[in-house]
Amino acid sequence: MSENRNCPNCGAPYDVGLSKCPYCGTSYFDLSCLQIGNEPFYLKIKDSARGIVFTQKCYLKNVDVSIESHNTYVDSPLGYKPFAMCTSRDLTMDLSLEAVAENDKLMTVIKEEV
């Protein structure tokens, strides 16, 4: 039996066994089962622009998370000292994967019908 959770995008309940919210179409990818340098897994990625699907066996090698703030520096017309005001923040997550050759193949590429 599948668990039910609420969609973080629209708030509707959804079955975690699904890959998309049936209400708003938000995609879900739960990567919590992947551990750095542990068991290999198969990664399947669709490149719609080229009409191909890549499949490869790999390990999760590293996860890097970085946060960058963008500041605007403001001068006060009232004579106060200039100050910085955070106008936006960016969060970048990089996953490093290491491909594992299987039967002398690094990956399988399949051309899809359009």
Side-chain angles (χ1 to χ4, degrees):
M1 178 185 272
S2 296
E3 287 182 55
N4 284 308
R5 299 237 171 96
N6 287 37
C7 173
N9 187 42
C10 72
Y14 73 95
D15 182 337
V16 294
L18 300 175
S19 58
K20 286 189 175 192
C21 175
Y23 302 98
C24 70
T26 299
S27 296
Y28 300 102
F29 302 102
D30 185 356
L31 302 177
S32 62
C33 63
L34 304 179
Q35 296 179 22
I36 295 174
N38 238 7
E39 294 294 316
F41 58 93
Y42 287 90
L43 179 66
K44 189 173 184 179
I45 299 174
K46 181 176 183 175
D47 182 346
S48 298
R50 290 186 272 178
I52 54 178
V53 175
F54 299 96
T55 304
Q56 76 181 69
K57 187 175 182 180
C58 51
Y59 286 95
L60 180 60
K61 189 174 179 179
N62 188 33
V63 177
D64 186 35
V65 179
S66 59
I67 300 173
E68 182 181 358
S69 295
H70 302 280
N71 297 320
T72 299
Y73 295 91
V74 180
D75 286 327
S76 170
L78 303 174
Y80 299 119
K81 291 182 180 179
F83 61 94
M85 190 167 73
C86 182
T87 54
S88 66
R89 289 193 175 130
D90 292 329
L91 173 76
T92 303
M93 299 180 80
D94 292 317
L95 302 178
S96 297
L97 305 173
E98 184 173 328
V100 177
E102 192 170 48
N103 299 325
D104 294 327
K105 289 196 278 185
L106 281 176
M107 76 171 97
T108 303
V109 180
I110 298 172
K111 179 78 174 161
E112 288 195 323
E113 300 279 329
V114 219

